[in-house]
Amino acid sequence: MSNKLDSFSLSSGMEACLSLERELNKLLVRFEGIKDIGHNLLDTAISDIKTLQDDLGNVPEDQFLSSEQVERVKSVMMKVKSSLAKFGGEHRELHSALSKYGKLIDRNFVADYAATSRPNIFNHPDKVGLINKIICQHYHRQGMHDVAEALAEETDVQYEFTEKESFGELNHILDCLRNKDLEPALVWATAHSQALDNINSSLEFKLHRLKYIELLSKGTNYQADAITYARNHFRKFVKQHEKDIQVLMGMLLYIPNGINTSPYSCLVSEELWLDTYELFTREACQLMGITVHSPLAICLNAGCSAIPALLNIKQVMMQRQVGPMWNGKDELPIEIDLGPDSRYHSMFACPILRQQSTKGNPPMRLVCGHVISRDALSKLCNGNKMKCPYCPMEQSPGDARFVIF
Ligand SMILES: [Zn+2]
């Protein structure tokens, strides 16, 4: 599961956490200090009172206290009073430091995210249904099938039963691959051999290659096994992977001295396992008809990356009084790059109006081949003629063609 957060949101969030932690540690030291002082003051006061009690206890009831004893009572009372006053003072100071810490938390973290979200987006029951569905899917991916099923029942989520099985099977195979157990992956790939062929996949070959290399790495005792394995499994891949198979055969020469020190050492590296693991995830997901990453995790990570930028722009927009951040448009007020992993489809930004194309304002290809948005096209029209702003070829706007990406 991808948990990549944008470095910006991470670093600014981390900085805030670290500075708060530093302040918290200072506060904790003060807490410890006041605890010690408090204990000392109370212990002394209690022992003073006890000694006084013992002294006065010896005085018979019908006898007045001597002036010396009265003085002692007064002195102990004064001392206890001043101790309590001192303790009270320390406590007040601590309390003010504690309330400053609360303000520090408010300053370092934003509490109001209302401006960055559009709650009305989730008003429609269909949308709520979609959210519940991706949450269920996410639980299935994590192997928490009972939670997913309970949620599906409570929220009436309808999804195919095979999803649960697919995720269960996928998770099991990937767990085994992580522990370098190739068997379940090989069984799956063999069962789906035809489908993998149809998408021009090299997964099955790469799994067999790992198995073969595993045998080779065991030394001369397994040489015959490796050769038999190659004979049984590589034949059908000769056309597509001739060069790779030649390389694999070359490895046989180096068994006695160890593959690790041979020119083929890169084939026994951890990287090959990682590559195959990733390939399996991608292609198995494609065949099972599920996304490689959980849609819920993708949305959450995209949101985490976008929020700091949106909060900054909110500040600027409020200062300049340019109205609410969302003007009913289906578009963010600024462009936020989430990186190549989060790009799913092509989009077109009009070079004239500098706006992303929409259904209402699609990209249009001019006769000369330049593409601009429909709004820009109608602005450039002069009667039944227009000049391309780039070449500048004169043409009729009616000849422009609608472009679909
Ligand atoms: Zn042109």
Side-chain angles (χ1 to χ4, degrees):
M1 254 16 66
S2 158
N3 271 324
K4 260 185 277 167
L5 286 177
D6 184 69
S7 57
F8 173 71
S9 64
L10 256 187
S11 65
S12 66
M14 269 316 269
E15 234 165 69
C17 288
L18 287 174
S19 93
L20 280 176
E21 197 179 7
R22 274 194 298 274
E23 288 304 313
L24 181 68
N25 283 338
K26 280 188 208 162
L27 206 60
L28 288 176
V29 170
R30 289 184 81 157
F31 257 107
E32 282 305 310
I34 196 172
K35 209 163 97 185
D36 291 345
I37 294 173
H39 273 308
N40 284 341
L41 287 173
L42 282 177
D43 285 350
T44 322
I46 290 168
S47 94
D48 284 350
I49 293 170
K50 267 206 174 133
T51 323
L52 187 67
Q53 235 177 356
D54 290 345
D55 281 357
L56 298 185
N58 296 332
V59 179
E61 266 182 34
D62 53 349
Q63 193 185 313
F64 286 111
L65 296 178
S66 68
S67 60
E68 200 185 307
Q69 282 168 324
V70 171
E71 278 311 308
R72 279 210 53 217
V73 172
K74 274 186 182 165
S75 125
V76 169
M77 273 170 66
M78 291 276 283
K79 206 175 155 196
V80 170
K81 235 183 184 169
S82 100
S83 295
L84 286 179
K86 196 177 168 199
F87 190 52
E90 295 275 350
H91 187 263
R92 260 196 307 283
E93 269 180 42
L94 182 73
H95 191 267
S96 92
L98 193 64
S99 65
K100 272 186 199 151
Y101 190 71
K103 282 175 197 141
L104 204 65
I105 294 178
D106 292 343
R107 252 207 320 277
N108 275 282
F109 295 106
V110 182
D112 177 20
Y113 288 96
T116 58
S117 65
R118 290 176 64 187
N120 56 339
I121 265 189
F122 303 121
N123 279 353
H124 201 274
D126 283 357
K127 303 279 171 67
V128 177
L130 273 177
I131 296 176
N132 287 331
K133 191 173 174 178
I134 66 165
I135 296 175
C136 280
Q137 256 191 19
H138 189 82
Y139 282 125
H140 275 308
R141 273 174 192 273
Q142 305 287 336
M144 297 157 82
H145 303 298
D146 47 343
V147 181
E149 267 156 30
L151 183 64
E153 208 181 299
E154 279 177 28
T155 55
D156 259 348
V157 167
Q158 304 288 330
Y159 59 92
E160 289 115 53
F161 182 69
T162 47
E163 260 181 8
K164 176 194 162 187
E165 288 180 327
S166 302
F167 286 125
E169 191 184 9
L170 185 68
N171 283 341
H172 170 67
I173 298 174
L174 289 176
D175 278 346
C176 292
L177 265 185
R178 223 174 282 136
N179 295 322
K180 304 214 164 151
D181 174 7
L182 284 163
E183 283 319 313
L186 275 168
V187 169
W188 186 91
T190 313
H192 294 84
S193 184
Q194 190 54 50
L196 286 169
D197 264 358
N198 293 346
I199 57 166
N200 217 3
S201 163
S202 55
L203 178 64
E204 200 184 349
F205 168 70
K206 286 187 171 168
L207 288 169
H208 283 303
R209 180 172 71 171
L210 276 179
K211 184 82 196 171
Y212 168 79
I213 294 172
E214 206 182 26
L215 287 169
L216 285 189
S217 311
K218 288 183 179 171
T220 36
N221 288 346
Y222 286 84
Q223 187 169 340
D225 290 350
I227 293 171
T228 316
Y229 194 85
R231 273 207 189 110
N232 290 342
H233 295 100
F234 288 157
R235 198 164 296 159
K236 67 181 263 202
F237 302 110
V238 169
K239 229 180 183 176
Q240 211 187 341
H241 297 282
E242 193 183 346
K243 276 258 146 39
D244 292 316
I245 294 172
Q246 281 170 2
V247 171
L248 293 174
M249 292 305 112
M251 289 173 88
L252 284 167
L253 294 172
Y254 290 89
I255 294 182
N257 295 326
I259 309 283
N260 277 325
T261 51
S262 75
Y264 299 103
S265 57
C266 63
L267 282 170
V268 284
S269 70
E270 201 62 21
E271 222 164 282
L272 214 61
W273 281 91
L274 278 176
D275 281 353
T276 314
Y277 180 87
E278 275 173 21
L279 186 71
F280 187 91
T281 316
R282 255 195 334 269
E283 300 202 328
C285 283
Q286 191 183 339
L287 287 193
M288 290 175 178
I290 50 184
T291 52
V292 175
H293 299 297
S294 147
L296 184 65
I298 293 170
C299 294
L300 207 64
N301 287 341
C304 288
S305 304
I307 277 181
L310 289 178
L311 288 173
N312 283 343
I313 191 81
K314 180 190 100 176
Q315 212 81 31
V316 177
M317 287 172 92
M318 266 164 60
Q319 277 162 12
R320 297 192 186 164
Q321 300 184 331
V322 282
M325 192 181 305
W326 308 98
N327 271 332
K329 284 185 197 156
D330 235 2
E331 204 180 317
L332 291 175
I334 41 165
E335 197 173 302
I336 296 169
D337 190 359
L338 298 174
D341 283 354
S342 305
R343 287 185 198 134
Y344 295 96
H345 54 81
S346 309
M347 54 177 199
F348 176 77
C350 174
I352 310 283
L353 298 178
R354 305 208 171 278
Q355 270 177 356
Q356 213 169 301
S357 59
T358 57
K359 271 185 192 158
N361 181 24
M364 302 295 286
R365 180 189 175 278
L366 305 179
V367 177
C368 52
H370 288 114
V371 181
I372 59 177
S373 67
R374 187 148 72 192
D375 284 357
L377 180 71
S378 41
K379 280 193 180 130
L380 290 168
C381 276
N382 192 0
N384 215 6
K385 272 185 184 162
M386 69 154 297
K387 247 184 186 180
C388 169
Y390 290 98
C391 34
M393 188 200 222
E394 210 166 271
Q395 53 196 291
S396 156
D399 291 338
R401 289 271 167 270
F402 174 43
V403 181
I404 302 169
F405 284 107

